[in-house]
Amino acid sequence: MSLELLLLPLMWGVFSATAQDPRYRLEQPEILAAPTGGSITLPCTLIYPPEIEPLRGVRVYWRRGGFHGDFVYNHTEGFTRWDYRGRIALVGNPGGRPKRTASIRIDRLQASDTSEYVCQVCVQLQNGTWIHWKALPGTRLTVTEAAPSPMPRTWHPALATQDTRSAERNSTGHLDTTHLALIGLASTLSKIGICIALFALCQWLGWAPGLRNRRPARSDPPGERGLNVPPWHTAHGQASPGNDASQQR
């Protein structure tokens, strides 16, 4: 821990009388909550009489665990506690006028971040005097379990509108592709069914290729195959009229 942080309690002990003036105070919300993995801004606004302006310096400190808790951030020295490194940043403007702020943002929230966060400020007047004041109570932060959601964890209305429109376009395109595929499949099946029906009809009517020139084979009487029989020949062994005449002579 830096020397400044070690000497800070002594500084507050020396100059705490000025800080008891109700005109010097810090405004923080009492309760905040955010899901794990998300981000949260802990607001802190400096309230003081305007006659002390201009200030020569403003130092911002944040503790967790109440007023006597551990330091997690000091913006003048760039100090960040090891388990908050890369996740905490000053988003306020301590040097801003007419309104000075000392807000911080914590990213990628973890369940272990649940605690009471207290903002403390030291300012140096034009005569070189340091005064300090603190927020009591601080902000009680509760990190909740994140619920499954397709929306981004850090919610912005504009981004939410764009994501919704994009999802609608993607959904419409997916439905159009599915409908086209189903229509093509139905068309193909109907053509196949028509072809099968026409083929069956041709088979039934004898119009199919290979059956068009086929005719039933002619069955000749057994006695006529290979013989040149006169038309007047009769069966059953009966003689012709000419033979009867020659026999009578």
Side-chain angles (χ1 to χ4, degrees), residues 242 244-249:
D244 292 341
S246 61
Q247 291 178 1
Q248 290 177 1
R249 283 195 301 267

Side-chain angles (χ1 to χ4, degrees), residues 35-36 144-153:
T36 56
T144 60
E145 183 177 356
S149 174
M151 298 295 294
R153 289 192 174 107

Side-chain angles (χ1 to χ4, degrees), residues 47-60:
I47 307 297
Y48 54 88
E51 56 265 22
I52 69 173
E53 289 282 6
L55 301 178
R56 295 178 57 183
V58 179
R59 298 180 179 180
V60 177

